[in-house]
């Protein structure tokens, strides 16, 4: 064994095993206790529409209590009401992840309603400028990197002690295929999504000793309000992406939700540091 990997190997040995997870499910009785995320708590940012909302719904359907958040109160209220009508366990609060006071409120809300946190899913992101990288102002750089890259790390730093108290946890970051194949005219946004791949790997190494896994999903073109607002950047030929599934249908938010639910579940207990494309093609081909 290479000496530099020995601390990691020792840390990974402490990660929960699938055997314990299967045993837990087989002995659960009735109600939500039979669901794979029963008695778990998930915080999902940017979760009042699109990919974030679908993720919140799926985690709640799998038994977790989900704390929903976004920048506008009316959007939070609507999302919470919708999911409660479906009989799902959710609560919510306003949170602009780029603001420290809002992140603190999100943490406080999760602890007040649930007493702890098991999962963090960071969906919230911005792209206030369509244009070239070198034509972007310092203000644009600060806003995009602040919300898309810095905010997930800072939010996790506040939630980490509470996740540690639960004995294990899972973090899922949301990047974009723009990290692999930069989209013209989305310069700084491309950079921010590439940075999330590195953040995923770094946090996975740092948090393995704490039995907290960190993975990343990498959506392709998904049918959301965000993608529609940038529809002029939608790939329209095979010149950017290999001709696999992508030309035959557009991705839906639900395509991402199932993967996130899996990454939070006991079935993914031996998966960390991965960035998985949900794009109808693979950047690894």
């Amino acid at each position: 064994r290479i000496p530099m990997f020995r601390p990691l190997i020792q840390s990974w040995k402490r990660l929960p095993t699938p055997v314990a997870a299967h045993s837990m499910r087989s002995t659960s009785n009735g109600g939500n206790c039979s669901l794979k995320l029963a008695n778990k708590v998930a915080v999902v940012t940017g979760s009042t529409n699109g990919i974030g909302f679908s993720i919140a719904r799926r985690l709640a359907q799998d038994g977790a209590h989900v704390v929903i958040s976004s920048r506008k109160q009316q959007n939070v209220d609507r999302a919470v009401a919708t999911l409660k009508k479906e009989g799902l366990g959710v609560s919510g609060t306003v949170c602009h992840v780029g603001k420290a006071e809002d992140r603190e409120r999100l943490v406080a809300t999760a602890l007040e309603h649930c007493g702890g946190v098991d999962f963090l899913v960071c969906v919230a992101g911005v792209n206030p400028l369509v244009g070239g990288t070198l034509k972007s102002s310092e203000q644009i750089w600060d806003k995009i990197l602040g919300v898309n890259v810095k905010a997930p790390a800072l939010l996790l730093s506040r939630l980490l002690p509470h996740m540690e108290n639960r004995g294990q946890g899972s973090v899922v970051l949301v990047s974009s295929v723009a990290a692999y194949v930069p989209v013209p005219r989305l310069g700084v946004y491309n950079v921010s999504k590439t940075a999330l791949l590195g953040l995923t790997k770094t946090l996975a190494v740092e948090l393995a000793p704490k039995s907290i896994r960190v993975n990343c999903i990498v959506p392709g073109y998904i049918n959301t309000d965000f993608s529609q607002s940038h529809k002029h950047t939608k790939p329209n030929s095979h010149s950017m992406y290999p001709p696999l599934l992508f030309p035959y249908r557009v991705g839906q938010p639900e395509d991402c939700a199932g993967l996130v639910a899996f990454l939070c579940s006991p079935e993914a207990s031996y998966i960390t540091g991965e960035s998985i494309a949900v794009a109808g093609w693979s950047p690894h081909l």
Side-chain angles (χ1 to χ4, degrees):
R1 293 176 179 172
I2 301 174
M4 67 178 290
F5 290 117
R6 286 174 183 163
L8 296 182
I9 294 169
Q10 294 301 317
S11 300
W12 291 333
K13 286 180 179 178
R14 292 194 291 270
L15 288 173
T17 65
V19 174
H22 288 307
S23 175
M24 176 185 69
R25 289 198 302 275
S26 64
T27 57
S28 298
N29 295 314
N32 283 347
C33 290
S34 64
L35 300 176
K36 62 184 178 181
L37 301 184
N39 303 316
K40 302 296 185 180
V41 178
V43 171
V44 185
T45 68
S47 49
T48 57
N49 58 26
I51 293 173
F53 181 76
S54 289
I55 290 171
R57 171 183 271 153
R58 178 58 184 270
L59 294 177
Q61 288 173 340
D62 285 353
H65 181 95
V66 180
V67 182
I68 287 173
S69 67
S70 74
R71 293 180 299 166
K72 297 182 179 180
Q73 185 68 58
Q74 62 266 33
N75 293 342
V76 173
D77 292 342
R78 182 177 64 248
V80 168
T82 298
L83 295 182
K84 281 188 173 181
K85 285 181 181 178
E86 297 175 10
L88 301 175
V90 297
S91 53
T93 187
V94 169
C95 180
H96 184 313
V97 295
K99 297 180 179 179
E101 60 271 23
D102 281 18
R103 294 193 299 268
E104 291 295 335
R105 180 168 57 245
L106 178 56
V107 173
T109 298
L111 297 179
E112 177 184 352
H113 284 272
C114 311
V117 174
D118 300 280
F119 314 129
L120 171 62
V121 184
C122 296
V123 186
V126 295
N127 182 46
L129 176 71
V130 175
T133 305
L134 300 183
K135 293 182 179 180
S136 300
S137 67
E138 186 172 358
Q139 181 181 13
I140 292 296
W141 275 97
D142 289 344
K143 182 171 185 178
I144 294 178
L145 294 182
V147 171
N148 294 2
V149 183
K150 185 171 71 174
L154 293 177
L155 178 57
L156 177 57
S157 71
R158 300 297 299 140
L159 286 172
L160 183 59
H162 309 289
M163 297 178 74
E164 286 187 77
N165 288 340
R166 309 284 270 201
Q168 57 185 288
S170 177
V171 178
V172 181
L173 305 181
V174 179
S175 179
S176 164
V177 291
Y180 292 116
V181 184
V183 178
R185 303 182 66 206
L186 293 185
V188 183
Y189 177 82
N190 296 334
V191 174
S192 73
K193 292 303 182 176
T194 304
L196 285 176
L197 305 184
L199 182 61
T200 297
K201 294 177 181 180
T202 299
L203 291 177
V205 171
E206 292 181 358
L207 299 185
K210 304 177 186 297
S211 295
I212 295 174
R213 299 178 294 105
V214 184
N215 293 290
C216 182
I217 68 167
V218 187
Y221 189 84
I222 305 294
N223 186 24
T224 65
D225 291 343
F226 183 86
S227 62
Q228 289 300 312
S229 68
H230 296 87
K231 59 184 177 182
H232 53 283
T233 66
K234 175 183 177 180
N236 55 16
S237 73
H238 302 339
S239 61
M240 292 183 65
Y241 302 147
L244 298 180
L245 297 179
F246 173 74
Y248 306 107
R249 75 172 179 90
V250 172
Q252 301 299 322
E254 293 76 15
D255 292 320
C256 299
L259 177 57
V260 172
F262 166 72
L263 290 173
C264 290
S265 75
E267 285 87 348
S269 64
Y270 204 51
I271 300 175
T272 192
E274 291 292 338
S275 294
I276 305 173
V278 188
W281 63 278
S282 171
H284 304 298
L285 292 177

